[in-house]
Amino acid sequence: MQNEKKLFTTQNMMRMALLSVIAVLLMQFGALKLPMIFPSFLELDFSEVPAIIGVLTIHPLAGFVIVILKNILKVVLFQTNTAYAGELANMVVSLGYILPLSLMVMKKRDFKTITIGICIGIIGLTLAGAIVNYFITIPMYAKLFMPMDAIIGMGNAIYSGIVDKGTLILYSFIPFNLVKGSVVSVVSIIIVKGLQPVIKHFGYHIRG
């Protein structure tokens, strides 16, 4: 199919730009805090949903473009209050989530394959989040905004087992990303099912 062979056609670029704008608006204005469960600096947003839609309606690699554009637009339109650490973490985690789905739909496109790809993406999101936050984001926050002890203290206030950076990752970031990935996946699957007529209009056929 033409859309699947060429990523950067005029129509595809317009669609990716639109989905990127929706994604950045979801990230900027649709983020939810879960303060009774996770530290306040962890926010649940649905900005990966447009990237998944892009993978399924535009091109298997469209999700990568949407994720990158989303974070560029975030900085350009709304600036950064994290010295780019938050945008970097979001980009890495989102790409880890999108990658399995992109690879799987290159070979086969049915609802079962999409669901499996999204579920594997939860694992990718969680692993990517653990790595980038342990080695990059948390150290940057500790250097630029608040002492490491204060960051750990925010986690410890919720669960006393959080006593250092490693346990912060283990008991806050990993569970949070599992929850986020699961919620985003359920929402994405529901939307994909509802958008099947649109997806077929773009030349793709998702079998149940």
Side-chain angles (χ1 to χ4, degrees), residues 88-140:
L88 174 62
N90 182 276
M91 185 179 300
V92 173
V93 170
S94 296
L95 291 176
Y97 180 55
I98 295 298
L99 177 60
L101 176 64
S102 298
L103 293 176
M104 294 190 73
V105 299
M106 285 181 181
K107 297 180 180 180
K108 189 177 181 181
R109 187 182 298 272
D110 57 26
F111 190 71
K112 180 180 178 180
T113 301
I114 291 168
T115 303
I116 293 172
I118 289 175
C119 290
I120 295 174
I122 297 174
I123 300 173
L125 180 152
T126 303
L127 291 175
I131 293 170
V132 73
N133 283 298
Y134 186 88
F135 290 106
I136 300 175
T137 310
I138 294 177
M140 285 182 68

Side-chain angles (χ1 to χ4, degrees), residues 32-54:
L32 304 173
K33 294 182 183 292
L34 304 173
M36 301 301 295
I37 308 173
F38 301 108
S40 60
F41 53 77
L42 294 175
E43 296 182 337
L44 173 65
D45 69 74
F46 298 91
S47 62
E48 286 85 6
V49 174
I52 292 174
I53 294 173

